């Protein structure tokens, strides 16, 4: 029974996390082309023409999600991610 619980726990610990959301400028307009990635990884995506993004990451990656774009200050959101969790973010980027 203990072995079964341990194996089951390891299976769910590897469930990916889904992070979705939108990125806007200070005027509330969508920002396409913003790079979105967990800090210190090579996993990432960019926002679409409407400023939306979807990112699936292992639950073991950094909890710091970085948003970067030329001409804007880098923005970092810290999430308390759980295996299999789903998170939605709304980010406003500030110009340099």
């Amino acid at each position: 029974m203990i072995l079964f619980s341990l194996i089951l726990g390891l299976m769910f610990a590897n469930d990916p996390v889904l992070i979705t959301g939108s990125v806007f400028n200070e005027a509330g307009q969508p920002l396409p082309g913003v790079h979105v990635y967990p800090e210190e990884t090579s996993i990432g995506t960019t926002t679409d023409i409407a400023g939306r993004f979807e990112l699936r990451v292992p639950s073991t990656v950094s909890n710091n999600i970085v948003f970067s774009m030329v001409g804007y200050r880098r923005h970092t959101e810290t999430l308390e991610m759980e295996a299999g969790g789903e998170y939605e973010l709304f980010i406003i980027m500030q110009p340099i």
Side-chain angles (χ1 to χ4, degrees):
M1 183 68 164
I2 293 173
L3 181 58
F4 176 73
S5 296
L6 180 61
I7 292 171
L8 191 60
L10 288 174
M11 286 173 35
F12 285 112
N14 292 326
D15 284 350
V17 173
L18 175 62
I19 304 167
T20 60
S22 299
V23 182
F24 303 94
N25 65 16
E26 69 285 357
Q29 299 169 327
L31 279 177
V34 176
H35 189 200
V36 182
Y37 59 96
E39 196 168 55
E40 300 178 7
T41 69
S42 61
I43 303 167
T45 190
T46 56
T47 56
D48 65 15
I49 190 119
R52 294 183 306 243
F53 68 91
E54 181 175 302
L55 182 63
R56 289 185 190 277
V57 297
S59 59
T60 56
V61 300
S62 171
N63 288 350
N64 295 324
I65 308 302
V66 178
F67 299 82
S68 65
M69 183 176 187
V70 173
Y72 287 84
R73 296 182 196 277
R74 179 182 159 177
H75 180 89
T76 304
E77 284 288 317
T78 301
L79 301 176
E80 295 297 324
M81 295 192 289
E82 296 181 14
E86 294 184 10
Y87 304 88
E88 186 171 15
L89 303 174
F90 295 93
I91 306 299
I92 298 175
M93 300 284 287
Q94 298 298 321
I96 294 177

